Amino acid sequence: MPRITAVDKLADALFGKGLSEEAAESLARAAVQPEDMRRKLADVNNLRVQGGTIHIVETRLWSAAVVPHPANPREYGRRSYALGGASAALRILPMPEPAPGGGPELQIRVPHPNDLAHRLDDAKARLVKENPLDNDIAAEGVLQPLMVVPMMVCYDNSPNRPPTLLITADGSSRISAVHQLLGYRPSLLAYELADNTRKFRQEINRWIRLVQKQGWDSLSAADQGKLRALTVPARVVVGFVPDARAGVRFHTAVRNFIGLTHIRPPRPYASAVESEAKGDAVLDSLAEPTRSRNARITSQEKRWFAGVITEQEAAEEGFSPHQDVRAAEIIRTVLGGGTGTARRVNEGIRSLTAQQRPKREDRVDIAVELILRPVRTAKNDVPPYVRPRRAVLQRAYRLPEIEELPADALLEGAPDGGRSLEELRDAALKEAAEGLGAGGRLGVAQTELAVKATFYMVTADTMALQTEGSGAARAEDSRSAVGVLRAMLSRQRGVIQAYEVVRAGRLGRPLHEVDEDGAPIYTDGGGYRELTDALVRHTYNGEALTEAVVGLPAARAHWATVTKSVDNLRQAVSAMKSVPAYEGGGSLIKREGWDPPEIEKARRYLDKVSRTLADWADWYNAQNDEERQSADVDAMDALDV
């Protein structure tokens, strides 16, 4: 906590800037570093708004000193007006006016303290419900500064001393989320802490002592999230100079600022631009080592993925000249490698958006935008070409098997060697022969080949893979791109076709259909039959393979069903756990549990299945042990001879 003498000196400096004594004391008490704020008063920042210039100082404030705007304009459209018969408890408060004295302060007149207390708490409740930011703030704290303005409260009929509050002219959603994390009611902050320095400092010290006693690393994740919200960055308004001819008063200037921020804000970025910006942030995160982890990619890989080096420079660094290899490397790096990679990618997304739990779809969109950078450049960013291809790649690369791609080098095309494209094809053929993908999940080689073939099937002039539900040719085939790819790579012919697609794509040739042996299929006119989306969907219609009824392929198909069922069970349990007890409430299960007889019945079934699977593993180990022992005996016999 800052020293009282430092707080008093800041209050004197603020009073000298033209603020009232009450506003100066409130701001000084709220400052986390009063000495720093006092130095900045000598060189304030100027913020131009319609009708004048607002003087601001950027600093950090204690969250317990700031409350949401009690007459928040966000509530326009659903306000209850007295003229319409609204009860006194529901009526809106008047908009603030300039405080007397001409300083950079607002004044709001309310009938009674209860009216203000109700409006503060109601504003927080509405904002937390409609714009929930508490999870994001718990992860990173408040990143963008709040615009904070002193506001004097005047009562029509009350013996209470009116407080001077620090309200958010912009940022009420953020401060409400902070109060939600810390368990604060704005009304209590306004009436119990605003004018009571001793109570205010005790509240802050409570959190400081917690860190000092336990240490940051020993705190729970929930307490760490609360401590990140203990202070907020702020632009504190300390002055206002109206334009000479405009005659704008201070409250109008504040309202104009709110309008520029929320009513006429800058035009938002397009979704593709957002994905591009996030892509660079993700690459930065992957290329930076942390205290516990090495960098995920090298600086050279970062430049290759970002598309900022020439083809010649990429070749000199040892990178593949083929765009499908680059695409597959990006996919593996951003989407593969399990939770470890996802965590690093999410850190990059959060650094730009403060989004606590980015979805897998967010990561896919980022990977696709990085992949498309050279493609868009080659096509001069022609929207009719780029947009549909972006959409299909985003859908196709949601293939769940991609997450299981190994985090180490790819099977084919890696700078340090690896398999040839033919060896990748043969590995995928082996997986297909074993039944992988037939009603279940593709193997690693099948998945890698699917990723590479998809790139050319989508970016070809005639797209051989499109989105579901569009076009007369797919009137009876509503399968997603993922479903079509899985059906294709599950069959020998589909693996051969994917291999030929990659070969043709690397040579810059049109894509054509091939048979089971890879031989081209000709049209009646004697030319190659062009590979189209309709042709792919017709050839690989997703019907179950009927030939695999015995042996390992059939067993593989059933095992895929088993693993899918286990995954579905896990998701169902997670979904049930997240069911709220009431709208906006916590988990029903955590609050009330579940019927023990039903739980016991389910556990008996699960225990039986678990014992069965354990038996299978024991049989497998026993069989392999016998084979190893037999091999050892044969080797010993050979030595004796």
Side-chain angles (χ1 to χ4, degrees):
M1 289 291 293
R3 296 181 182 274
I4 294 294
T5 53
V7 174
D8 291 341
K9 288 181 179 179
L10 174 58
D12 292 341
L14 289 167
F15 182 72
K17 277 285 185 179
L19 278 83
S20 68
E21 183 178 348
E22 294 81 5
E25 290 177 354
S26 296
L27 281 172
R29 181 171 54 247
V32 176
Q33 295 179 306
E35 301 95 335
D36 178 67
M37 185 175 177
R38 183 159 58 91
R39 284 193 296 269
K40 290 179 178 178
L41 286 174
D43 186 20
V44 298
N45 295 325
N46 296 327
L47 180 65
R48 286 282 298 141
V49 296
Q50 184 178 359
T53 301
I54 294 176
H55 296 166
I56 61 173
V57 170
E58 295 202 5
T59 187
R60 294 195 75 85
L61 304 180
W62 300 109
S63 303
V66 184
V67 296
H69 197 319
N72 188 355
R74 187 180 287 275
E75 295 178 311
Y76 277 125
R78 59 172 179 278
R79 288 180 166 184
S80 300
Y81 291 89
L83 191 61
S87 65
L90 296 177
R91 291 174 191 167
I92 65 167
L93 296 180
M95 293 300 293
E97 298 286 335
E105 302 171 45
L106 298 173
Q107 175 180 287
I108 190 169
R109 181 168 292 279
V110 297
H112 191 272
N114 290 343
D115 296 289
L116 178 62
H118 174 80
R119 291 301 301 127
L120 287 172
D121 290 344
D122 184 64
K124 175 205 167 186
R126 284 180 180 272
L127 291 168
V128 167
K129 180 180 178 181
E130 296 179 6
N131 193 16
L133 300 172
D134 46 317
N135 286 334
D136 294 340
I137 290 174
E140 298 289 342
V142 176
L143 300 181
Q144 292 299 314
L146 316 176
M147 177 68 80
V148 175
V149 183
M151 185 181 74
M152 182 186 303
V153 180
C154 295
Y155 302 127
D156 292 336
N157 181 23
S158 174
N160 297 48
R161 178 191 174 192
T164 295
L165 306 180
L166 303 181
I167 68 165
T168 52
D170 172 57
S172 290
S173 295
R174 281 168 280 165
I175 197 63
S176 296
V178 165
H179 291 168
Q180 180 77 359
L181 277 171
L182 293 169
Y184 291 158
R185 286 177 55 191
S187 60
L188 296 181
L189 299 180
Y191 287 107
E192 292 191 8
L193 299 186
D195 284 336
N196 192 322
T197 300
R198 182 171 174 272
K199 270 191 174 183
F200 179 82
R201 291 176 70 89
Q202 284 178 339
E203 171 60 25
I204 305 302
N205 267 319
R206 176 170 71 91
W207 294 103
I208 295 175
R209 285 195 299 270
L210 178 66
V211 184
Q212 292 173 337
K213 181 178 179 181
Q214 297 188 22
W216 177 263
D217 293 334
S218 299
L219 294 175
S220 66
D223 282 340
Q224 289 181 348
K226 293 176 181 178
L227 283 159
R228 291 190 184 101
L230 191 60
T231 69
V232 292
R235 291 175 171 176
V236 180
V237 176
V238 295
F240 172 64
V241 178
D243 290 345
R245 297 182 180 179
V248 170
R249 301 169 72 193
F250 178 62
H251 75 296
T252 304
V254 173
R255 188 175 61 204
N256 290 345
F257 170 80
I258 296 174
L260 287 173
T261 305
H262 295 288
I263 300 173
R264 294 288 294 175
R267 183 178 178 181
Y269 289 154
S271 58
V273 177
E274 289 185 11
S275 296
E276 281 249 56
K278 292 175 185 176
D280 285 330
V282 165
L283 293 180
D284 285 340
S285 176
L286 293 171
E288 289 293 329
T290 66
R291 287 186 300 175
S292 59
R293 292 170 295 184
N294 295 327
R296 179 69 177 79
I297 59 175
T298 66
S299 58
Q300 293 88 348
E301 286 175 316
K302 173 185 172 181
R303 296 173 67 232
W304 186 41
F305 291 165
V308 297
I309 58 176
T310 65
E311 292 184 358
Q312 180 178 349
E313 290 171 336
E316 291 172 353
E317 293 289 348
F319 298 124
S320 171
H322 305 307
Q323 291 197 53
D324 66 288
V325 174
R326 176 179 174 273
E329 283 278 12
I330 291 174
I331 287 295
R332 176 186 61 85
T333 301
V334 177
L335 304 178
T339 57
T341 298
R343 190 178 299 114
R344 292 288 289 266
V345 173
N346 288 349
E347 288 173 1
I349 298 174
R350 281 198 297 269
S351 70
L352 198 64
T353 65
Q355 184 180 359
Q356 185 185 21
R357 295 187 178 91
K359 299 179 181 178
R360 184 172 185 270
E361 290 76 10
D362 298 325
R363 299 192 290 273
V364 172
D365 292 351
I366 289 169
V368 168
E369 217 56 47
L370 291 172
I371 290 168
L372 283 176
R373 284 183 175 183
V375 176
R376 286 192 290 105
T377 302
K379 291 294 181 178
N380 202 22
D381 204 9
V382 181
Y385 178 91
V386 174
R387 286 173 183 167
R389 286 160 174 80
R390 175 186 291 118
V392 182
L393 286 176
Q394 288 173 344
R395 286 163 172 78
Y397 287 153
R398 289 175 187 170
L399 184 70
E401 289 90 323
I402 286 175
E403 293 182 348
E404 299 173 7
L405 287 173
D408 52 1
L410 288 176
L411 296 176
E412 185 266 335
D416 55 352
R419 294 181 178 182
S420 65
L421 181 60
E422 287 69 29
E423 290 172 324
L424 174 61
R425 173 201 61 194
D426 295 342
L429 285 171
K430 182 180 178 183
E431 290 173 346
E434 293 176 349
L436 292 178
R441 299 174 79 87
L442 298 171
V444 171
Q446 290 169 301
T447 302
E448 183 186 342
L449 189 56
V451 168
K452 293 180 174 179
T454 294
F455 175 81
Y456 292 118
M457 292 171 70
V458 173
T459 57
D461 285 335
T462 301
M463 295 172 67
L465 184 65
Q466 297 186 29
T467 56
E468 64 278 11
S470 61
R474 291 183 300 287
E476 298 181 359
D477 186 354
S478 60
R479 286 178 298 160
S480 66
V482 166
V484 175
L485 283 172
R486 190 174 284 138
M488 179 178 176
L489 272 295
S490 298
R491 300 170 181 262
Q492 174 181 326
R493 181 179 178 182
V495 172
I496 298 295
Q497 180 69 75
Y499 162 76
E500 291 295 340
V501 164
V502 175
R503 277 214 319 148
R506 291 180 179 180
L507 295 172
R509 296 174 180 173
L511 309 185
H512 59 265
E513 186 184 11
V514 297
D515 61 16
E516 294 277 353
D517 299 319
I521 296 179
Y522 296 95
T523 64
D524 294 339
Y528 291 150
R529 183 184 293 176
E530 184 181 47
L531 194 67
T532 64
D533 177 73
L535 184 60
V536 170
R537 287 176 177 269
H538 174 75
T539 305
Y540 309 102
N541 54 24
E543 294 179 357
L545 299 178
T546 57
E547 60 269 19
V549 294
V550 297
L552 185 58
R556 286 271 191 187
H558 286 293
W559 178 252
T561 303
V562 170
T563 56
K564 184 176 181 180
S565 299
V566 171
D567 188 55
N568 289 340
L569 174 63
R570 179 186 59 80
Q571 294 180 20
V573 170
S574 178
M576 184 172 176
K577 182 180 177 182
S578 65
V579 173
Y582 52 87
E583 185 176 356
S587 169
L588 173 68
I589 295 299
K590 288 186 176 181
R591 177 178 174 179
E592 300 182 10
W594 200 252
D595 185 37
E598 293 189 21
I599 293 288
E600 183 60 30
K601 182 179 179 181
R603 290 186 63 184
R604 284 200 302 271
Y605 285 130
L606 292 174
D607 288 343
K608 185 176 180 179
V609 171
S610 178
R611 289 195 298 271
T612 299
L613 295 179
D615 289 341
W616 293 0
D618 290 342
W619 298 343
Y620 180 89
N621 291 332
Q623 179 67 24
N624 286 344
D625 288 343
E626 290 178 3
E627 291 179 358
R628 283 194 294 269
Q629 291 172 3
S630 176
D632 291 342
V633 170
D634 292 342
M636 293 299 295
D637 291 343
L639 288 175
D640 289 339
V641 171

